[in-house]
Amino acid sequence: MLRVRCLRGGSRGAEAAHLIGAMLGRALTGWVPRALQSSSSSAASAVAQSHRAVEDDAVTEPARQECPVCAYNEWDPLEEVIVGRAENARVPPFTVEVKANTYEKHWPFYQKYGGQTFPKEHLKKAVAEIEEMCNILRLEGVTVQRPELVDWSFEYKTPDFNSTGMYAAMPRDILLVVGNEIIEAPMAWRSRFFEYRAYRPLIKEYFRKGAKWTTAPKPTMADELYDQEYPIRTVEDRHKLAAQGKFVTTEHEPCFDAADFIRAGRDLFVQRSQVTNYMGIEWMRRHLAPDYKVHIISFKDPNPMHIDATFNIIGPGLVLSNPDRPCRQVEMFEKAGWNVVKPPTPLIPDDHPLWMSSKWLSMNVLMLDPGRVMVDANEHTIHKMFENLGIKTVKVNIRHANSLGGGFHCWTTDVRRRGTLQSYFN
């Protein structure tokens, strides 16, 4: 095998090897009867001819292209990003896992609109805001990719459940880039079971160009994955359950959303949440070892779901930590020399609909590089905070898009950042 590859490699290498053998065989045939005759000239001629045949047959290996996928952290200079779509977005059916992730004041909305489109005028404004966000990213020098348009109204049925779809608005929830690898998260909501389909054309193209592509084990999302009697009603109920480590998702099978992980070079931080269980975390830990370490952290949060509006790492040793949801392991970061910054209280009005998130989307920012950040145009106090940190703000208004459950970090997945793998946490 190695001899063949040294000659050329593949089937043409085998032909070259056969040619050399045949020519040498003919040169040596009759050697004994002609033992007294000089054969050096004929042998040399045969070898020279065979060498020329191999050289003429040689084919140069194709030049290796630079992998289009590479990101190690949340702040290196951003070169390419996937931005989600609000088009065709639908309210998820009001199932137990959705109920556990939403507050009681919004339950009538889900009971009325579950399985239907979001209010059309609101959705139209969200679409326009995200288009403008894409335009601004392009002006800032970032290549923007978008998922496919999908009809999420289609009802599907598996052996374990039936549902309609939701959207492809938040690529951060489903795709995690670690180095040159794209990891598809399994998700935990039944309405998001087939969400990956909107991203597959993009992922296949990245794979063809050299990226690694991993799909985490897809859960069945059978009834056993959810605590069907999950006792929630008040915020106090939620605090008590979260403090006890009880969530709507069980340990029946691995599940996780990619947005419960956040990267800092060789270290990733993750929370156990309503959509990410310990089996899912352990799968990621084993998958990324030994090159990366996965650290579990927790917060005083009555309804943990996605880490980036609670603990958002924005630079080497620099993290935004939600003062309403303090990190229980904050001393670990302070001892490592990190600057833990508490962002100001959000300014979003109480009457603005946030059906799927909290006001703390104000800290759900997207770093364009260590000195530039994409931030809500209306959040003047956080602009001042970034100015004090020496970071320039790129202001964009996506208030209607916020209502669908995410800020700038949620609405994006960074595909390529210009940087190298380093350690920032000891």
Side-chain angles (χ1 to χ4, degrees), residues 197-311:
R197 293 173 62 86
Y199 299 95
R200 278 293 172 87
L202 277 174
I203 297 173
K204 286 189 290 186
E205 189 61 27
Y206 289 134
F207 177 73
R208 291 186 184 104
K209 292 180 179 179
K212 292 176 66 178
W213 172 18
T214 299
T215 299
K218 196 70 174 172
T220 63
M221 297 190 185
D223 288 348
E224 291 84 356
L225 180 59
Y226 312 102
D227 181 351
Q228 301 294 331
E229 304 299 326
Y230 191 68
I232 53 166
R233 199 145 196 103
T234 66
V235 173
E236 289 73 22
D237 289 339
R238 293 173 184 270
H239 271 295
K240 186 182 300 183
L241 290 163
Q244 295 171 354
K246 294 181 179 179
F247 304 93
V248 70
T249 47
T250 69
E251 299 296 328
H252 175 68
E253 56 189 346
C255 68
F256 64 85
D257 281 11
D260 270 324
F261 292 82
I262 199 157
R263 304 155 302 170
R266 292 193 179 274
D267 297 277
L268 286 82
F269 302 92
V270 62
Q271 65 173 350
R272 195 342 179 160
S273 76
Q274 300 284 20
V275 292
T276 296
N277 63 12
Y278 288 120
M279 285 189 74
I281 294 171
E282 182 59 22
W283 184 90
M284 279 287 284
R285 190 198 304 275
R286 296 183 196 181
H287 178 73
L288 294 174
D291 295 325
Y292 301 88
K293 293 181 180 179
V294 175
H295 308 265
I296 299 175
I297 55 179
S298 61
F299 307 89
K300 190 178 180 182
D301 185 353
N303 191 37
M305 179 183 175
H306 303 164
I307 200 170
D308 49 0
T310 299
F311 199 77

Side-chain angles (χ1 to χ4, degrees), residues 84-89 120-134 146 149 398 400-401 404 411:
R85 287 191 180 275
E87 291 91 337
N88 302 329
K120 290 184 178 180
E121 284 303 311
H122 196 101
L123 198 58
K124 183 178 179 180
K125 292 176 181 178
V127 170
E129 289 172 349
I130 297 304
E131 287 299 326
E132 180 62 12
M133 172 184 164
C134 290
R146 309 296 300 278
L149 284 168
I398 60 167
H400 293 85
L404 273 64
W411 275 93

Side-chain angles (χ1 to χ4, degrees), residues 32-94:
V32 174
R34 298 193 301 272
L36 297 177
Q37 299 179 8
S38 172
S39 61
S40 60
S41 60
S42 61
S45 176
V47 171
Q49 290 177 17
S50 67
H51 284 176
R52 283 196 298 273
V54 172
E55 289 172 1
D56 293 342
D57 195 46
V59 178
T60 305
E61 291 284 347
R64 184 181 294 274
Q65 293 183 336
E66 183 179 354
C67 182
V69 173
C70 189
Y72 297 109
N73 56 50
E74 310 288 341
W75 63 83
D76 278 341
L78 182 63
E79 296 183 340
E80 185 164 340
V81 70
I82 299 172
V83 178
R85 287 191 180 275
E87 291 91 337
N88 302 329
R90 300 182 78 82
V91 180
F94 195 46

